[in-house]
Amino acid sequence: MPSIVKPSVTHPGLERNALGLSIRDYEGGMSTLCAGCGHDSVTAAITHALWESDTPPHMIAKLSGIGCSAKTAAYFARGAHGFNGCHGRMPPIATGASAANRDLLCIGISGDGDSLSIGLGHLAHLVRRNVRMVYVIENNGVYGLTKGQFSASADVGSTTKRGEANHLQPIDPIFLGLSVGATFLARGFSGDKRQLVPIFRAAMAHRGLSIIDVISPCVTFNDHEGSTKSYLFTRQHDVQMTVTDFVPPAEEISATIPSEGVVSIPMHDGATLRFRTVPDGYDPTNRMAVMEHLMSARGRGEIVTGLLYIDEQSSGLHELGNTTEAPLTQVPYEELCPGSAALAGVGFR
Amino acid sequence: MNPTDTSDPNYFHRVVDCQWACPAHTNVPEYIRLIAQGRYTDAYMSNRESNVFPGILGRTCDRPCEPACRRTRIDGAPVAICRLKRVASDLRGDIADRLPVIPASKTGRRVVCIGAGPASLTVANDLMPLGYEVVILEQHDQAGGLMRTNIPAFRLPAEVMDEEIATIVDMGVDLRLNTPVSSLRSLLAQDFDAVFIGTGAPRGKDLDIPGRHESDRIHIGIDWLESVAFGHTDSIGERVLIIGVGNTAMDCCRSSLRLGGTGIKVMARRPREFFKASSWELEDAEEEGVEIIVNHAPTRFVIENGTLVGMEFQTLEWDEQARHSTVASTVVIPCDDVILAIGQENAFPWIERDLGLEVGDWDMPVVDPVTFQSSLPGVFFGGDSAMGPKNIIWAVEHGHQAAISIHNHCEGIPVSVRPPQGSNLVSQKMGLTEWSYHNDYNPSARQRMQHVELTRRFQSIGTEVEVGFSAEQTAREVQRCLNCDIQTVFQAPLCIECDACIDICPVQCLTITENGDEADLRTRLSAPAKNLDQALYVSAALPQTGRVMVKDEDLCVHCGLCAERCPTAAWDMQKFELLIPLAVSTPVPVPT
Ligand SMILES: Cc1cc2nc3c(=O)[nH]c(=O)nc-3n(C[C@H](O)[C@H](O)[C@H](O)COP(=O)(O)OP(=O)(O)OC[C@H]3O[C@@H](n4cnc5c(N)ncnc54)[C@H](O)[C@@H]3O)c2cc1C
Ligand SMILES: Cc1ncc(C[n+]2csc(CCOP(=O)(O)OP(=O)(O)O)c2C)c(N)n1
Ligand code: SF4
Ligand code: SF4
Ligand code: SF4
Ligand SMILES: [Mg+2]
């Protein structure tokens, strides 16, 4: 435990966003994670993105399961709603929350164990339903909270601290997402906020589910030589496949940006995703092409990062289910509950 | 930028804003922590080492440390450093057994100091423990200099001064009172190894305008205060005009109130932003009902039938910088007395001009600003006599430096050879998340000094106005100190660039970024580093990416969280101790 909580004192020149809030207003409780845990940096990046996007804290719902990663939902946006569910069971709870109140910005925080081991089934169905939420996997290749056993994302050959190698095939959430119809897929690194913050902002603006797989080293159990999820290994193998700017709706798209090699993708809320660098022939909207690129990169042993795939066309949970426009809290009681007579009619139809 | 050279004591010294600003480099945060622990005597002694007169200075210091204090940049008000010094002094125990031992057998070196002000007393304080015989010649019948003759007793009680002066004199100083020196030549002819001139700036500036010599109710400020201090003057007219608005003017107006004055006006030529007086002295005077009138330039004394009845002023209109003025009108303000407080000058009528002692502009002796030696080897100056009127803490610092020079001079070492400053850095880590100091930030506001109520204040000029901090006020004020001496020390080879320190810092001091030149770096940090007076601490290239760690020292609150959240202990909190060379404590190095 830290000796003190982060003091309330702030930089006197602290900037304010459109709501008059400073970034400190988007912080949460004091982290109890190990010093140097990648997850804390991911928290900082989320905090930054929330502040930048002028999101009112009470319009955020934080959802998580179990794990060191899952704990971090408590470490940002202290003014937000939050639900900390069972291990691997955050997706159904998030689906419920999103179904009930479509105006909420749902942010799910999960780990590689939580999402790819115990919770894999739930995750796949969350993707299929395209629930509008930001789904962050803080991926460290181990079960940090239970002291460092390999998780389902551990690479073949990666070793534990004591030197035993993993022999089981890893599950890559990006490939998983591509195969079950995900509409927003990105990978980042906790040590690179310059890349991470715009990705989070884009994810928050996306109309469906966005999965962000963040390599987030476990400094205590998986940051040694022999680990493929250490700070050093990640830095040595990180290849930024795409570099993306998130241009919010209010901002004019600068005419000075050369159009050549730049792919601009309009988002449904008026914002624009500008892919500043993409490799030759890479089309972030073409699932097939993305799959091919990622496959060959994997063959080269690269850790590919960036906003990798986006589909702004597909419908989300609410469109698919043809749900009401308003959050359920705003639907009058008589409409929410049509009465036993009407229900009886439904039952016998 | 090149990696910051932290082996230079000046680097971390500058981070301790108060200590850096203090002419004597008093270790402020250390003594504040000692007060917090109730170790008042230790706090007093820590002060005494550098500033010699903690009790006097805890009431009267010009406190250059306070405007410099980091806390001002954080919440707008500095730590009440000066008044905490008084707490240490008021609550301390006996210090007799902590004073340096004075050797019984003397070295045979004899030094004479002229004037018994703070500068000379400091020289004696520093040389007595080294076995010197020190003679102080003072024209008045009491020691203390302007502290005795000019600083009014309602700001500085005589007992406080008596005790701290006695501490020095009792080391065996040969203090000869009522002994004015009228010839330097005759003193040089005597058997002294060195002469220290600490005679101050004894002459108050006059105002030669019509009527000046036609009344005995026109006084020179510092002379008038002196005659009040010695009890020769015990009354004044009801309506008093004070000309000038420096600190002397503040003492004159407040003294007048205690000697029968009721309508006291301080007349200033310029607008308030351009006053010389410290803001707190102005506040204290106004609290007592003194009226401060701006933009009035005196033109003549109005004398009727040989009696002073008023003074004529031009009212001025100034441009923005208060450089140029135009006269708007002329007014006469009635008064019974006028006190001139428009500055002090040096005067050395007793220094013969054919001794080879070079005298420069404004009749000031040419004095080396480092060694304090005059052009005549073995003759030294210090305090107000050396560089013109300053204040007590500067007089003390001059005394320290002159003592080092005198010691060199007597040992046959060139005075230009100065003992170097040193420093210590000691980790304050006590456990994984435990520090030897109170690292949390305390949001308390600066404590207001309580004053004796107005009605009681004017009954006697000796009633001290400030009552000192209560125990509760002290407890709060000590925690406002940000422990700026507990330095954040970084070791680049250990950093894994996890960003933990950057994310946790409450005031956005830290950044990992590509290196660049300073101007460029200052714009690329977590928060722009706009305060150019504060350094950037730049690391060597980091092992994983070759980027650098940059810390903007400006706003760090020394909470230690960066070090606590660092998994590899690349950051550590280390206490910086400046080793200040003094004649008493440091062996003078032999030149090579
Ligand atoms: C009204 C007033 C208020 C002040 N208030 C403050 C304050 O609140 N805080 C602060 O820090 N500073 C204050 N100062 C300034 C401070 O008092 C001086 O800067 C300081 O005392 C200078 O010390 P010194 O040792 O150089 O000389 P001084 O204190 O001036 O002492 C010189 C001594 O030399 C003696 N002397 C002079 N000529 C001879 C001679 N020929 N033979 C023998 N003896 C001689 C004098 O009698 C005197 O005792 C104030 C000054 C004035 C005028
Ligand atoms: C149902 C259930 N099974 C097992 C556990 C034990 N458990 C707690 S956290 C955890 C793994 C967490 O790993 P991950 O999601 O990768 O999070 P990390 O701690 O690495 O961030 C496990 C297996 C549990 N809490 N509940
Ligand atoms: S065990 Fe690993 S994942 Fe958990 S807090 Fe510590 S470093 Fe982070
Ligand atoms: S906060 Fe304390 S150590 Fe820092 S400048 Fe102020 S008094 Fe000095
Ligand atoms: S001690 Fe470290 S964390 Fe605290 S304010 Fe200073 S740089 Fe920031
Ligand atoms: Mg994990």
Side-chain angles (χ1 to χ4, degrees), chain A residues 32-39 68-69 140 142 144-145 147 216-222:
Chain A
T32 56
L33 301 188
C34 303
C37 178
H39 300 353
C68 297
S69 36
N140 53 17
V142 289
L145 192 71
K147 297 197 186 295
S216 173
C218 171
V219 76
T220 302
F221 298 111
N222 206 12

Side-chain angles (χ1 to χ4, degrees), chain A residues 9 23 29 32 36 49 56 104 107 122 140 152 163 176 187 227 235 244:
Chain A
V9 58
I23 191 159
T32 56
L104 288 180
I107 302 182
H122 286 308
N140 53 17
L176 172 76
R187 179 150 39 227
S227 160
R235 286 203 166 96
T244 322

Side-chain angles (χ1 to χ4, degrees), chain B residues 437 488 501 504-510 551 555-563 571 573:
Chain B
Y437 69 109
T488 53
C501 54
I504 199 66
C505 178
V507 280
Q508 291 156 299
C509 294
L510 307 175
K551 180 188 177 205
L555 296 165
C556 171
V557 295
H558 302 265
C559 66
L561 281 177
C562 48
W571 283 110
M573 303 307 291

